[in-house]
């Protein structure tokens, strides 16, 4: 028996049904990689960020997420180059989908119909999506924004429902605007932390504050 089409599981009709000790025998999701590209580069390498935002409350299967990831990854490698982007899947398929399997070869002239709304066995997984939730994000260089937009345009065909492409005003995957990031980095208040950054607050020992913030004798208070 083949896979059911996505329209059977598109809508959030039921409560969340995650994998647990009560819900066993769940098949592994198709998507196993959630970060592609140059995922280890520090945050100062890629200043631009583009998001694929859902415009519907729905469920997206793990097969659809994997197809969208492969499509976006191939497009970015082709248009931008494999060293100039970091693609991240922002949703995870934790919701278990059920299917009530019935025999299709029981008789030569009839098919099983069974009871409506019957409780089925685990048949796959899906991610539960809200309106305005980010599905995928790409951080890249400023001159590669058009390539990221085109990658998400092609990925939209792999996911049901409506999606919007949003070009972020923030620096990469951080929560700071570009002008704020540049200003605080120049003054020493921003510190790189992998793909993100740390805000060096004014709390703690004064010696640490003087070491991190005040770089030159001209910056010292009079």
């Amino acid at each position: 028996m083949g896979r059911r089409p996505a329209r059977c599981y598109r809508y959030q009709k039921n409560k969340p049904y995650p994998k647990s000790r009560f819900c066993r025998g769940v098949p592994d999701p198709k998507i196993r990689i959630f970060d592609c590209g140059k995922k280890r580069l520090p945050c100062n390498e890629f200043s631009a960020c583009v998001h694929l935002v859902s415009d519907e409350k729905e469920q997206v299967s793990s097969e659809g997420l994997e197809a969208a990831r492969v499509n976006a990854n191939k497009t970015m490698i082709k248009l931008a180059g494999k060293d100039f982007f970091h693609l991240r899947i922002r949703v995870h398929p934790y919701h278990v989908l059920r299917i009530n399997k019935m025999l299709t070869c029981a008789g030569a002239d009839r098919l099983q119909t069974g009871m409506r709304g019957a409780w089925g066995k685990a048949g796959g997984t899906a991610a539960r999506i809200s309106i305005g939730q980010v599905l995928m994000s790409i951080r890249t260089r400023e001159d590669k924004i058009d390539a990221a937009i085109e990658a998400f345009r092609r990925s939209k065909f792999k996911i049901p429902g409506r999606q919007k492409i949003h070009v972020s005003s923030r620096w990469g995957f951080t929560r700071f605007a570009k002008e704020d990031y540049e200003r605080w980095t120049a003054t020493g208040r921003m510190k790189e932390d992998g793909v993100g950054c740390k805000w060096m607050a004014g709390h703690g020992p004064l010696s640490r504050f003087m070491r991190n913030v005040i770089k030159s004798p001209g910056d010292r208070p009079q």
Side-chain angles (χ1 to χ4, degrees), residues 24-41:
R24 301 181 298 272
V26 179
D28 292 333
K30 294 295 182 184
I31 181 169
R32 308 297 293 177
I33 301 172
F34 291 86
D35 286 272
C36 304
K38 305 297 285 187
K39 55 188 177 182
R40 296 187 183 275
L41 284 185

Side-chain angles (χ1 to χ4, degrees), residues 6-60:
R7 63 176 177 267
C8 298
Y9 302 105
R10 176 178 170 183
Y11 301 106
Q12 294 187 23
K13 299 185 295 182
N14 304 316
K15 297 177 182 179
Y17 188 56
K19 181 179 178 181
S20 66
R21 68 180 187 271
F22 310 109
C23 174
R24 301 181 298 272
V26 179
D28 292 333
K30 294 295 182 184
I31 181 169
R32 308 297 293 177
I33 301 172
F34 291 86
D35 286 272
C36 304
K38 305 297 285 187
K39 55 188 177 182
R40 296 187 183 275
L41 284 185
C43 62
N44 61 349
E45 295 288 336
F46 298 137
S47 60
C49 185
V50 182
H51 302 296
L52 183 65
V53 183
S54 175
D55 204 25
E56 285 190 19
K57 181 181 178 182
E58 59 179 353
Q59 294 180 167
V60 179

Side-chain angles (χ1 to χ4, degrees), residues 1 100-115:
M1 188 173 182
N100 182 29
K101 291 183 179 180
M102 290 181 288
L103 298 176
T104 56
C105 56
D109 57 344
R110 71 192 71 187
L111 298 175
Q112 275 189 322
T113 55
M115 182 179 66

Side-chain angles (χ1 to χ4, degrees), residues 59-210:
Q59 294 180 167
V60 179
S61 66
S62 61
E63 289 85 358
L65 291 174
E66 173 67 7
R69 182 195 68 83
V70 170
N71 200 329
N73 188 47
K74 285 185 176 180
T75 305
M76 287 300 293
I77 292 176
K78 180 179 179 182
L79 299 182
K82 63 182 181 65
D83 296 331
F84 299 105
F85 74 96
H86 174 197
L87 169 66
R88 173 172 287 177
I89 307 298
R90 302 282 297 274
V91 293
H92 288 69
Y94 291 135
H95 180 71
V96 178
L97 304 176
R98 298 187 301 268
I99 179 172
N100 182 29
K101 291 183 179 180
M102 290 181 288
L103 298 176
T104 56
C105 56
D109 57 344
R110 71 192 71 187
L111 298 175
Q112 275 189 322
T113 55
M115 182 179 66
R116 290 186 183 179
W119 189 271
K121 292 186 177 181
T125 55
R128 293 167 67 91
I129 311 298
S130 304
I131 296 175
Q133 185 173 355
V134 178
L135 297 173
M136 305 164 65
S137 298
I138 292 178
R139 65 182 181 114
T140 182
R141 299 193 322 194
E142 294 290 339
D143 57 338
K144 307 293 185 182
I145 292 179
D146 292 338
I149 294 175
E150 176 63 18
F152 280 156
R153 189 194 68 84
R154 298 183 186 184
S155 297
K156 290 199 300 182
F157 296 109
K158 306 297 182 182
I159 301 175
R162 297 186 305 269
Q163 292 85 32
K164 292 180 180 179
I165 300 172
H166 173 70
V167 179
S168 177
S169 61
R170 300 180 180 180
W171 184 284
F173 287 165
T174 68
R175 58 188 176 93
F176 300 98
K178 294 179 181 178
E179 55 272 14
D180 293 339
Y181 180 87
E182 293 174 344
R183 183 173 72 253
W184 294 122
T185 302
T187 57
R189 298 299 299 271
M190 199 76 70
K191 183 179 179 182
E192 293 180 8
D193 185 30
V195 299
C197 61
K198 282 185 178 179
W199 165 254
M200 305 304 293
H203 303 286
L206 184 60
S207 59
R208 190 185 69 182
F209 178 81
M210 301 289 285

